[in-house]
Amino acid sequence: MTFDVSAAPIASDTTDHAPPGRRGRLARDLPASLVVFLIAVPFSLGIALATGAPLTSGLVAAAVGGVVAGALGGTPLQVTGPSAALTVVTAGLIAQFGWQVTCAVTVAAGLLQLLLGTFRVARSALAVSPAVVHGMLAGVGLTIAIAQLHVVLGGSPQSAALANLIALPGQLSGPHLPALAVGGLAMALLFGWPRLGLLPGRAGRIGAVAARMPAALVAVAAATGLSIGLGLTLARVELPSWEQHDFAALPSLGQLSAHWPVLLAAVLTVTAVAGVESLLSAVAVGRMAPGPIDLDRELRGQGFANLLTGLLGGLPVAGGAVRSTANIRAGAVSRWSAVLHGVWVLVAALALGGGLRQIPLAALAALVLVVGIQMVSFAHIRRVHRHREFPVYLATVLGVVLLGVPLGVLLGGGVAALLALYRLTRAHVDVLPEPDGSWTVRTHGPLTFAVVPRLSRALAAIPAGARVTVSHDGSFLDHAAYEQVHAWRADHQATGGQVTVLTEPDEHEQVLDPDGTLRVGSSPGPHRCRAWTPWGGHHCIEPGADDPHGRLLDGVRGFQQHTAHLVRPELARLAREGQTPSQLFLTCADSRLVTSMITSSGPGDMFTVRNVGNLVPAPYEPGAADDSVAAAVQYAVEVLEVRSITICGHSGCGAMKALLDGVHLAPGPPTALSRWLRNGRGSLDRLRRAPAMFADRPVVSEVEQLCITNVVQQLDQLLAHPAVERRVAAGTLRLVGMYFDFADAQAYVLDPVLRSFVPVSERRRSPTAPGPGESTGLAA
C-alpha cells in the first residue's frame, strides 16, 4: 500500500478516511458523482459521434454503464461507459450492417461476458501481452484521432484510417475556419487546463483551484459559447427526441443469419476488447485505491451492462481509466458514486436536450481527438521498449490502423508468440582463453536443441588436452544439449583434458560426478558470498582477515568473476539508454540498510539518496537547509520524472538518538552534524503533539516512535518543495512513508486511511483481497 498525498494530505494530523455510515459515504460519493457526470456527458456524445451511431446511444450507454455495472461490478470505484477502444469496431459494424445489427452484437457480447464471468475465467484475460493491449489502444487512438481531425477541419471522415490519411492533405489545404477555430479552442483547453497549477506564483495557486473543474466540460462549454457568441454557422449536435429513439433496436433473425460468420467474429471481438479493457482498468483502479476487487464479478457486471445497453439501443460499454481516475481523485469511497453518475446522465439526457443541441460537432470531435492522442502513451512505449517488446507493440499498432482491431490484435499476438519462441531458443555461448592457458566456457540462457549446432562449434574450437571450466547459469537444459555437452566432455577427457563444470545451485558444496569429474556447487574464488551476505564472519573470507580494503577488492573480484557476465547486457543497455527510474528512494546512510535487498530492485530501478537520518531539509528554512538533497529531489522529479518518492526510516537510528539527546542544541560553535540535525527539529515537535503509531503492535521505545514520526514529518517537508508540490497537485507523483525493523527484517508502510504504519505482508491474503500493507493492483 502506498501513501498518496493527493488523496490524503500529510500535513494533517487527523485520520483521513471517510466518515462512517451511509450518510458519511454519501457525503463523499455525491460530489464525486457530479464530477464524473460532467466528464461523461461530452465524452459519451463524442464517442457516439465518432462511431456514427445515434447520439442518444452514447447517453444510454453512459447511464446504463454507470447504474448497472456500478451496482453489480466487482470494482466499486470503477466507472463504466461507452468504450473508446471499441470506437473503430463499432463504427465498422454500423457502416457494414447498420445500427440494429450492431445492437444485437452488443447484446450477444454481453451474454458471452456473463458466461465467461460465471465460469471464472476473468484472470486469464490478464495473460494477454501488455504490449499487445497497449498497442491495440494506441492503434485505436490513432485511428480515432485521424478521423476526428477531419471533423475539426470542417469535413467528414472516411470509412477507414488509410482513406483518412490519404484525404488529409486535401482537407488541410482548405479547412473550414469557423470549425477550426472552435475545435482549436477546445483542444487548447483540453491540453492546457489541467496544467494551470504549474504556473508560477499566485497564478499557479489560482490555476490549481480552477483545474479541479473537468477539462472536457470547460473545453466543450467554451467552444459552444464562442460559436454562439460570434454567431458562427457550424454543424451542431443533432440530438433526436427520445420519442424517436429505438429502445428495442434489434434486427430480425433473417438479418442475422445471412451474415452469421462475420457477426460471430464481431461478437468475439467486442467481448474480448471490452472485457480486457474493463479488467485492465479494474486492476489499475486497484492500484490507485485500496479495497477488494473481484474480477469475475466485474466481468459479469460488464456483461449485464452490455446486455441491457444493447437492448435499449446504446453503445457497447467498458470500464474506463479516465472516468475511474477522475472518480477516485474526486474522493469517491464506494460504488454509489458510479451509480449516481449514471442517474445524473439520465436526468441530463431527459431535461437538458435543448442545451446539448447547441454544442458544435467540431468541439466534440476535438474532445475525442485528444482522447485518441492520449491513448498513445509514451510511458507505455518506454516500458515495452525497456522490456524489448517494441516489435510486438509496433506490429499491433500498424495492424490495428491498417487492418482493423481483430486482425491487428492477431498480428500483434503472432509477433509476441514468435518473439517468445525466439527468446526460448536464444542462448549465449562464450569461449574465453585464460592467461594460465586454460579455457572458460560460459553459457547463459536456455540450452535447447536449437542451440546445439552453435554449442558444438564453440566446444570444438577448444584445443585438445586443455583444462576447461564450463560455467552454466542454471537455466533450462534439454536432452539434446545435455547429450552434446556430456559427449564432448567424454571426448575431451579422452585426449587428456580436464573438465570442471560450474553451476549456480543454492548450496556451497562440491560433489563428484559418477565419472570423477569435479562438479562445483559454488565455484572457487576469494569471494563467493551472495550479494546480501556480510563480509565479516562469513566462510568465504579468510579467518582473521582484518584488511577492509582487501575485503572490498575481494568483493569486486567476486563480482567480476561470477556476476559481471550475467548483468553485462543489462548494464550495457542502461549505458546506451540512460537511466529512467520510476522511484526516488530517500533513506538513511546506516550501513545495515541495504536498499536493493529490501526492495528486490536492480540497476536502473531506483534513484537513491542517502543521508544521516533520512532527512529532507525544508526549502526555505534558514541555517538548516541543504542544497544537495533539494537538488536530488528536483532532478528526480523534474528531469527523471519519477512517479513515486519513498522516505524510509529504520529501527535503532543513530540520528534519532542524537536528536533525543539534544546534540543539535549542544553549546559552543555548531558542528556539521549538529547543523544537519537541526533539520529534524520538526520531528521532535511532531513527536510531542502527534506521534506516529503502528497499526498492529505497540511502539517499543521512544527512539522507535521518533523514527516513524520522523518519516511522517519528512514527508511534510518534502511536500514543501515546489517541484514536488506541483507534481502531487497534478496527481502524477505519489509520496510513500516506509519503516524497516532490522530485528524482524520487517518493512512497514504508512497507511493513508489508518494514518499508521502497517506491515508489508509476505504474500497476498487472497486473489482478490490485499493483505495489510499491500496495494490491490499489479505494478505502475
Side-chain angles (χ1 to χ4, degrees):
M1 184 175 294
T2 52
F3 184 69
D4 189 348
V5 295
S6 64
I10 60 179
S12 173
D13 290 323
T14 59
T15 301
D16 185 19
H17 56 76
R22 183 177 301 177
R23 181 176 300 177
R25 290 195 297 270
L26 186 61
R28 296 282 292 271
D29 288 331
L30 182 59
S33 69
L34 293 172
V35 171
V36 181
F37 154 72
L38 294 176
I39 296 174
V41 170
F43 186 75
S44 302
L45 291 173
I47 294 295
L49 173 69
T51 60
L55 295 185
T56 50
S57 66
L59 299 176
V60 169
V64 172
V67 174
V68 177
L72 302 179
T75 311
L77 298 185
Q78 174 153 279
V79 181
T80 298
S83 170
L86 282 170
T87 301
V88 176
V89 176
T90 307
L93 285 172
I94 294 173
Q96 186 174 0
F97 300 108
W99 175 238
Q100 290 186 332
V101 173
T102 303
C103 290
V105 169
T106 303
V107 171
L111 290 172
L112 185 54
Q113 284 180 318
L114 270 173
L115 184 64
L116 294 174
T118 302
F119 283 105
R120 308 186 68 83
V121 298
R123 288 196 173 273
S124 62
L126 302 181
V128 179
S129 168
V132 174
V133 175
H134 296 313
M136 178 196 73
L137 294 176
V140 169
L142 288 175
T143 303
I144 293 173
I146 296 169
Q148 296 309 302
L149 183 56
H150 284 273
V151 181
V152 172
L153 295 171
S156 299
Q158 305 296 317
S159 58
L162 189 59
N164 281 319
L165 280 173
I166 295 173
L168 191 57
Q171 189 71 61
L172 288 170
S173 63
H176 184 248
L177 294 181
L180 181 59
V182 168
L185 174 63
M187 290 177 62
L189 288 172
L190 286 166
F191 281 116
W193 192 261
R195 294 169 173 80
L196 290 178
L198 301 180
L199 295 173
R202 184 177 181 183
R205 291 191 292 272
I206 297 174
V209 175
R212 295 176 184 175
M213 181 71 68
L217 178 68
V218 173
V220 172
T224 303
L226 176 67
S227 66
I228 295 175
L230 298 181
L232 301 178
T233 302
L234 291 170
R236 301 184 185 273
V237 169
E238 296 179 4
L239 189 68
S241 64
W242 288 104
E243 290 79 5
Q244 298 174 315
H245 183 81
D246 190 353
F247 285 100
L250 295 180
S252 64
L253 292 178
Q255 291 177 275
L256 298 177
S257 60
H259 306 283
W260 72 266
V262 179
L263 294 179
L264 178 61
V267 170
L268 295 176
T269 301
V270 172
T271 302
V273 174
V276 171
E277 182 184 11
S278 298
L279 295 176
L280 291 177
S281 175
V283 172
V285 168
R287 290 178 177 177
M288 292 184 285
I293 294 177
D294 187 336
L295 294 181
D296 293 300
R297 179 180 174 181
E298 180 64 32
L299 189 57
R300 292 194 296 271
Q302 297 293 331
F304 275 118
N306 273 307
L307 173 62
L308 189 57
T309 188
L311 290 174
L312 295 179
L315 290 169
V317 298
V322 174
R323 294 179 293 262
S324 302
T325 301
N327 189 40
I328 293 171
R329 290 180 178 172
V333 294
S334 76
R335 63 179 69 249
W336 280 106
S337 175
V339 173
L340 287 173
H341 124 272
V343 173
W344 307 143
V345 171
L346 181 61
V347 171
L350 296 175
L352 302 177
L356 297 178
R357 292 185 181 91
Q358 299 298 317
I359 300 175
L361 294 184
L364 291 181
L367 171 62
V368 181
L369 187 153
V370 171
V371 171
I373 293 174
Q374 292 173 341
M375 291 171 72
V376 184
S377 170
F378 288 101
H380 291 151
I381 293 175
R382 287 195 298 268
R383 194 171 298 125
V384 298
H385 186 267
R386 187 181 310 156
H387 291 281
R388 290 174 287 182
E389 292 195 348
F390 185 73
V392 178
Y393 179 90
L394 183 62
T396 308
V397 171
L398 295 178
V400 168
V401 172
L402 300 178
L403 304 175
V405 174
L407 293 178
V409 170
L410 287 176
L411 178 62
V415 174
L418 290 175
L419 187 60
L421 182 62
Y422 167 72
R423 288 173 177 168
L424 183 63
T425 59
R426 185 185 183 191
H428 296 283
V429 181
D430 300 317
V431 179
L432 307 171
E434 301 294 343
D436 60 358
S438 64
W439 291 73
T440 298
V441 179
R442 288 198 179 101
T443 64
H444 175 62
L447 295 181
T448 64
F449 64 92
V451 188
V452 167
R454 183 155 30 111
L455 180 63
S456 177
R457 287 193 301 270
L459 295 175
I462 299 175
R467 227 170 7 98
V468 182
T469 300
V470 179
S471 177
H472 182 48
D473 66 355
S475 298
F476 175 71
L477 183 74
D478 77 354
H479 185 70
Y482 174 85
E483 288 290 344
Q484 175 61 36
V485 171
H486 280 266
W488 168 82
R489 183 174 63 175
D491 292 342
H492 190 75
Q493 288 173 336
T495 65
Q498 180 183 356
V499 178
T500 302
V501 180
L502 307 180
T503 60
E504 300 283 347
D506 292 333
E507 300 298 329
H508 293 275
E509 60 179 15
Q510 299 180 352
V511 297
L512 293 177
D513 280 348
D515 60 0
T517 302
L518 183 66
R519 183 172 183 268
V520 185
S522 181
S523 55
H527 192 299
R528 191 62 178 114
C529 306
R530 292 181 176 89
W532 48 264
T533 307
W535 295 333
H538 198 277
H539 70 267
C540 65
I541 301 294
E542 293 183 7
D546 58 357
D547 177 13
H549 182 61
R551 290 182 179 183
L552 177 64
L553 292 183
D554 278 349
V556 174
R557 291 188 188 98
F559 167 79
Q560 296 295 155
Q561 181 176 358
H562 305 295
T563 308
H565 67 281
L566 300 177
V567 300
R568 187 174 290 115
E570 179 66 12
L571 292 179
R573 182 188 66 79
L574 290 172
R576 292 192 306 270
E577 300 176 4
Q579 61 169 331
T580 55
S582 61
Q583 316 280 330
L584 166 59
F585 199 83
L586 197 152
T587 189
C588 186
D590 194 295
S591 62
R592 298 167 294 177
L593 193 66
V594 183
T595 57
S596 59
M597 178 182 70
I598 67 173
T599 60
S600 298
S601 56
D605 289 337
M606 297 193 310
F607 188 71
T608 306
V609 175
R610 304 186 70 149
N611 62 48
V612 175
N614 47 274
L615 300 177
V616 183
Y620 307 117
E621 186 173 353
D626 179 90
D627 287 341
S628 66
V629 176
V633 169
Q634 183 179 1
Y635 182 77
V637 172
E638 295 184 347
V639 179
L640 298 179
E641 297 182 345
V642 298
R643 300 188 299 277
S644 173
I645 301 179
T646 299
I647 296 181
C648 180
H650 65 88
S651 59
C653 181
M656 298 301 104
K657 294 178 182 177
L659 276 173
L660 289 174
D661 292 340
V663 171
H664 60 295
L665 302 175
T671 64
L673 180 60
S674 64
R675 285 197 302 270
W676 172 254
L677 289 178
R678 290 174 182 174
N679 296 298
R681 289 175 296 186
S683 300
L684 289 173
D685 293 339
R686 185 183 286 265
L687 179 67
R688 288 188 289 270
R689 58 186 173 84
M693 305 296 290
F694 291 103
D696 65 331
R697 68 172 178 86
V699 175
V700 298
S701 67
E702 188 180 21
V703 173
E704 183 175 63
Q705 191 147 54
L706 180 57
C707 288
I708 59 176
T709 303
N710 179 60
V711 171
V712 181
Q713 177 64 28
Q714 300 313 308
L715 288 171
D716 275 355
Q717 294 178 191
L718 176 64
L719 190 59
H721 287 255
V724 176
E725 185 180 17
R726 286 194 297 269
R727 288 280 306 279
V728 168
T732 59
L733 181 65
R734 174 172 290 184
L735 305 188
V736 182
M738 182 178 290
Y739 173 79
F740 188 76
D741 189 333
F742 289 125
D744 296 330
Q746 175 65 58
Y748 296 80
V749 291
L750 186 57
D751 189 296
V753 176
L754 301 177
R755 303 288 292 177
S756 57
F757 285 83
V758 298
V760 178
S761 301
E762 182 178 351
R763 56 175 61 108
R764 300 195 183 281
R765 296 296 186 260
S766 70
T768 58
E774 295 175 347
S775 67
T776 54
L778 55 216

